[in-house]
Amino acid sequence: MASTTMSHQAIGSTVSHRPFRASQFLKEPLNVPMNFIPKRFKIEATASSQVSVIGNTVLSPSKNKPFESKKKSNEAALILIRHGESLWNEKNLFTGCVDVPLTQKGVGEAIEAGKKISNIPVDLIFTSSLIRAQMTAMLAMTQHRRKKVPIILHNESVKAKTWSHVFSEETRKQSIPVIAAWQLNERMYGELQGLNKKETAERYGTQQVHEWRRSYEIPPPKGESLEMCAERAVAYFEDNIKPELASGNNVMIAAHGNSLRSIIMYLDDLTSQEVTTLDLSTGIPLLYIFKEGKFMKRGSPVGPTEAGVYAYTKRLAQYREKLDEASLK
Amino acid sequence: MATATSHQSIVSFASHRSFSSSSSTISQCLLREPFLNLPISKGFKIDSSLSCNITSKRRNFCKVEAMASQTETSVSYDNTLLSPSKNIPDISQKKTNEAALILIRHGESLWNEKNLFTGCVDVPLTEKGVEEAIEAGKRISNIPVDVIFTSSLIRAQMTAMLAMIQHRRKKVPIILHDESEQAKTWSQVFSDETKSQSIPVIPTWQLNERMYGELQGLNKQETAERYGKQQVHEWRRSYDIPPPKGESLEMCAERAVAYFQDNIEPKLAAGKNVMIAAHGNSLRSIIMYLDKLTCQEVISLELSTGIPLLYIFKEGKFMKRGSPVGPTEAGVYAYTKRLAQYRQKLEEDSEVLCS
């Protein structure tokens, strides 16, 4: 399908063949040619800026702050959050990549999700380029006990990068880079986008629609199949997210039903049959521990409280303990 | 310059289109056109190949004159926002010579809370900021909104989205994506009915907060230590002195007002009701233009967060309809007759739904 060829156009800086070390972003001193300083207003039409940094972890070891335990731990947490109800979910319209925001309920779900992961370390956040996932991430993080500040990175142009630069190292250390990537977008639903189920059944026939929704490799007209969605989502995960985990950075991904299932298919080694029946709850985060190259599922929280639901590793238990100590001061 | 992108146009909201003035056939006269994703400058991508007519008028904002833009090259979006639905006649969409303009400044961000200079660093809202957005939404829940402009920063976008959750008309805001061909294609909507129930949201860097250069991320103490208190005070309070590698208020105003004139004012002139969700400095800049303030006046202008400002655009003029100070929205905005009718229809419509 034509759209997959688009993945070869560098959109933003997340070219899939180059590892994107988002974690290094906040350490970089700014080296910008003079003509991008705002005074001039002369903007060069530039190729997308490549923030490709290869390096280690963002936080320098600091004796005062026990959280900065960025000694290269061989364990990292991976949180997956599927956004909650959007305004088109409510209206029962096929959404796909149309950028529709959350409903009041979806906002509530994001906050609830945040409470469930408020004790789990987060060093980096990846979201799709759609507002419902980004809002979910930002709302969830308002609940986080560590109180670091998520900062959305802008790499769409050199000017964007320049204008969003942070000039205090102290502040950078207290920040969590947020990377928006279209590769984590919901499956693109082509000509079904904006249609309701009735319209769609009328236009194409109930059986055909069922096939598009439930099959693995059959795309709706001008849309993506689940297979195509998985291809770009998992590729992005492998190229950009997994290396961060391997470096010991704790990652949160806020995305969509299909892009997350695709990633889970990769993490859990599922078959295409298994993935088509996989359903992710909205607003209920999944936790994985990445250790020695393997992904271990730590359970889907089903209880109303987060305690006792995630099987904590020792490292996570220590992190939580430090949060408790810090809040007592 | 960024405003040059306004010269790319696909569909024009040229005012030469005529509409019936009879209320029963208003919506039927509206032309239905396909929903288009237009190459609007989003994010920071600027096409430097387009020329731009920046008149010297724009440079001197201390004596700004109202410029009702008649250009046909103004950017326009979806005409099908206004559905010819008989149930909810969008009275706001007959070619009235009146349009509402709502300005909302976002609420508390995580760096506001920490007292850090934010500028164009993309920092999200706190819980308080979220609530402020919801409150703001309640205040404007009865005022028609056809198109929304935001900055490219999440705190303004979230503010707009949260505010619109409260809106009684229940149209769905949809953020337009034009950062690439794929982004445009992928975000396309294939149902006319759905399009007609949508409100396009246009993010644009020209509405961003004033870029604070080397102060971004610093707290006030750090800054005073690094540069000296007097110098910092000068940057914060002067009109034309930028912080190192940053923008002065004047520079911010230049790109914000230019954007407003090229892209927003034409919509108002065409009868579209507009909401702008942005930042302290970009909004003051626009208000300076709307209210014809002097440089001195704009420096001391403070916008409340979460409390929307309402202007009525009519016959080329901007009339301030008051800053709501009361706890409820009623009685605070001086409604025009048209707005009162819109509100009435919302009431009737909600009664129909409940019956």
Side-chain angles (χ1 to χ4, degrees):
Chain A
M1 189 196 125
S3 69
T4 52
T5 61
M6 297 287 193
S7 63
H8 300 296
Q9 288 180 16
I11 295 168
S13 62
T14 54
V15 179
S16 58
H17 60 262
R18 191 175 306 185
F20 175 62
R21 291 297 189 276
S23 54
Q24 198 63 10
F25 169 81
L26 296 177
K27 276 209 95 150
E28 265 198 332
L30 190 65
N31 252 340
V32 176
M34 271 309 292
N35 51 357
F36 288 106
I37 306 305
K39 241 187 162 69
R40 309 259 164 177
F41 261 87
K42 193 168 65 178
I43 310 300
E44 318 266 297
T46 173
S48 59
S49 69
Q50 303 292 333
V51 184
S52 57
V53 277
I54 298 161
N56 302 316
T57 53
V58 60
L59 306 164
S60 52
S62 157
K63 293 179 178 57
N64 295 335
K65 298 175 185 166
F67 288 112
E68 315 319 354
S69 55
K70 295 319 278 189
K71 77 182 191 183
K72 196 161 160 32
S73 153
N74 52 4
E75 189 184 300
L78 171 63
I79 299 168
L80 307 181
I81 298 185
R82 181 186 183 186
H83 70 79
E85 190 187 66
S86 80
L87 285 166
W88 277 12
N89 291 153
E90 200 186 36
K91 296 187 172 208
N92 238 338
L93 302 176
F94 287 114
T95 313
C97 289
V98 183
D99 202 353
V100 173
L102 299 170
T103 58
Q104 191 75 44
K105 181 181 173 201
V107 167
E109 288 180 271
I111 291 173
E112 277 311 301
K115 290 178 182 165
K116 292 185 194 288
I117 49 129
S118 62
N119 294 303
I120 300 174
V122 177
D123 299 312
L124 287 177
I125 298 172
F126 288 86
T127 72
S128 72
S129 63
L130 304 173
I131 192 88
R132 55 196 188 269
Q134 295 175 6
M135 279 179 74
T136 294
M138 299 300 101
L139 291 163
M141 290 308 290
T142 60
Q143 309 302 311
H144 203 273
R145 290 177 74 191
R146 182 63 181 82
K147 297 298 169 204
K148 278 187 172 182
V149 178
I151 293 183
I152 296 181
L153 303 195
H154 281 268
N155 295 307
E156 53 268 30
S157 66
V158 180
K159 180 185 197 187
K161 193 180 165 196
T162 314
W163 276 38
S164 55
H165 192 78
V166 178
F167 281 86
S168 157
E169 198 179 330
E170 172 66 40
T171 303
R172 282 197 291 264
K173 285 187 197 158
Q174 295 303 313
S175 307
I176 301 171
V178 181
I179 298 106
W182 68 265
Q183 292 90 330
L184 296 173
N185 278 11
E186 181 50 291
R187 175 179 161 201
M188 208 282 264
Y189 252 67
E191 287 182 357
L192 303 191
Q193 291 185 164
L195 272 57
N196 62 40
K197 288 179 187 159
K198 183 166 171 252
E199 260 181 303
T200 323
E202 282 169 4
R203 202 178 286 197
Y204 300 103
T206 326
Q207 202 178 349
Q208 175 67 286
V209 175
H210 180 85
E211 192 177 55
W212 287 325
R213 297 186 74 194
R214 296 287 163 251
S215 82
Y216 183 65
E217 74 280 353
I218 304 171
K222 299 206 179 82
E224 284 186 308
S225 61
L226 178 50
E227 181 178 31
M228 292 155 77
C229 171
E231 185 176 345
R232 41 99 168 160
V234 173
Y236 186 86
F237 180 88
E238 286 181 304
D239 289 345
N240 300 285
I241 301 179
K242 197 169 167 184
E244 300 290 355
L245 294 164
S247 301
N249 285 308
N250 303 290
V251 173
M252 174 168 108
I253 304 176
H256 309 261
N258 284 300
S259 50
L260 288 174
R261 288 154 116 194
S262 304
I263 290 170
I264 290 168
M265 178 169 73
Y266 169 76
L267 302 178
D268 291 354
D269 251 320
L270 303 176
T271 65
S272 44
Q273 196 55 40
E274 288 171 322
V275 77
T276 52
T277 49
L278 181 67
D279 222 345
L280 259 81
S281 301
T282 56
I284 299 183
L286 281 185
L287 174 65
Y288 284 81
I289 303 296
F290 180 75
K291 188 166 181 170
E292 284 152 16
K294 293 196 177 66
F295 289 95
M296 297 172 293
K297 197 168 186 170
R298 283 323 238 184
S300 197
V302 293
T305 63
E306 163 264 337
V309 161
Y310 290 115
Y312 273 92
T313 61
K314 182 179 173 185
R315 185 184 74 99
L316 289 183
Q318 286 172 332
Y319 182 83
R320 184 187 182 149
E321 208 176 57
K322 290 190 160 42
L323 283 170
D324 289 339
E325 286 165 13
S327 67
L328 288 173
K329 288 179 191 151
Chain B
M1 164 148 180
T3 54
T5 56
S6 66
H7 292 90
Q8 294 176 13
S9 70
I10 294 177
V11 175
S12 164
F13 258 46
S15 50
H16 59 260
R17 205 173 282 157
S18 63
F19 291 83
S20 157
S21 55
S22 139
S23 59
S24 61
T25 60
I26 293 161
S27 17
Q28 288 153 11
C29 290
L30 295 171
L31 299 172
R32 302 185 74 176
E33 290 173 29
F35 188 89
L36 296 168
N37 282 317
L38 302 178
I40 308 312
S41 171
K42 188 217 163 186
F44 291 84
K45 196 160 64 178
I46 311 298
D47 188 339
S48 59
S49 65
L50 297 172
S51 65
C52 169
N53 289 328
I54 305 239
T55 67
S56 58
K57 270 188 208 176
R58 280 190 190 157
R59 297 202 183 283
N60 186 356
F61 287 106
C62 294
K63 297 173 197 168
V64 144
E65 289 149 34
M67 217 169 84
S69 173
Q70 299 285 315
T71 173
E72 285 195 15
T73 57
S74 60
V75 167
S76 58
Y77 292 86
D78 183 13
N79 291 357
T80 62
L81 291 174
L82 321 157
S83 98
S85 148
K86 292 179 175 56
N87 296 332
I88 309 176
D90 272 327
I91 229 185
S92 51
Q93 285 315 312
K94 78 180 195 180
K95 185 154 164 50
T96 155
N97 46 10
E98 188 184 299
L101 170 64
I102 299 167
L103 306 180
I104 297 186
R105 179 186 184 186
H106 70 78
E108 188 187 66
S109 80
L110 285 166
W111 276 12
N112 290 151
E113 200 184 36
K114 296 188 173 208
N115 238 340
L116 303 176
F117 287 115
T118 312
C120 288
V121 183
D122 202 350
V123 173
L125 298 170
T126 59
E127 267 194 283
K128 181 180 172 200
V130 167
E131 277 159 33
E132 288 181 90
I134 291 171
E135 276 311 301
K138 290 176 183 166
R139 291 176 194 274
I140 49 130
S141 60
N142 294 302
I143 300 174
V145 177
D146 300 313
V147 58
I148 297 171
F149 289 87
T150 73
S151 73
S152 62
L153 305 173
I154 193 89
R155 56 197 188 267
Q157 294 175 8
M158 279 178 77
T159 294
M161 297 302 99
L162 292 163
M164 289 308 291
I165 289 174
Q166 314 303 319
H167 203 274
R168 291 177 74 188
R169 181 62 181 81
K170 296 299 169 204
K171 278 188 172 181
V172 178
I174 293 182
I175 296 181
L176 300 196
H177 282 266
D178 72 328
E179 55 268 28
S180 66
E181 275 308 307
Q182 176 177 260
K184 265 193 275 179
T185 313
W186 277 35
S187 55
Q188 236 188 319
V189 179
F190 282 86
S191 156
D192 281 344
E193 171 67 38
T194 302
K195 278 182 229 168
S196 66
Q197 295 303 311
S198 306
I199 300 172
V201 181
I202 299 124
T204 182
W205 69 267
Q206 290 91 328
L207 294 175
N208 277 11
E209 182 50 291
R210 175 180 161 200
M211 208 284 256
Y212 251 69
E214 286 182 357
L215 303 192
Q216 291 184 163
L218 272 57
N219 62 39
K220 289 180 186 157
Q221 200 201 347
E222 260 181 303
T223 323
E225 283 169 4
R226 203 179 285 197
Y227 300 103
K229 277 191 192 158
Q230 205 178 346
Q231 176 67 284
V232 175
H233 180 86
E234 192 178 53
W235 287 326
R236 296 185 76 193
R237 296 286 163 251
S238 80
Y239 182 67
D240 53 3
I241 303 171
K245 297 205 179 85
E247 284 186 307
S248 62
L249 178 51
E250 182 179 31
M251 291 155 76
C252 171
E254 183 172 353
R255 40 100 168 162
V257 174
Y259 186 87
F260 180 88
Q261 290 176 314
D262 290 345
N263 300 285
I264 302 179
E265 202 168 334
K267 297 231 172 287
L268 295 164
K272 294 274 172 222
N273 302 290
V274 174
M275 175 167 106
I276 304 176
H279 309 261
N281 284 299
S282 49
L283 288 174
R284 288 155 118 193
S285 304
I286 289 169
I287 290 168
M288 179 170 72
Y289 169 69
L290 302 179
D291 291 353
K292 297 203 178 87
L293 303 178
T294 65
C295 309
Q296 201 54 42
E297 287 170 324
V298 77
I299 290 166
S300 45
L301 180 67
E302 273 300 321
L303 256 82
S304 300
T305 55
I307 299 183
L309 282 185
L310 175 65
Y311 285 80
I312 303 296
F313 179 77
K314 189 165 178 169
E315 283 151 15
K317 293 196 177 64
F318 289 96
M319 297 172 293
K320 197 167 186 173
R321 281 323 235 185
S323 196
V325 293
T328 62
E329 162 262 337
V332 161
Y333 290 114
Y335 272 90
T336 60
K337 181 178 173 187
R338 184 185 73 98
L339 289 184
Q341 285 171 330
Y342 181 83
R343 182 184 184 152
Q344 199 179 35
K345 293 209 153 32
L346 284 171
E347 311 263 9
E348 288 165 12
D349 186 52
S350 67
E351 278 165 31
V352 166
L353 292 172
C354 294
S355 60

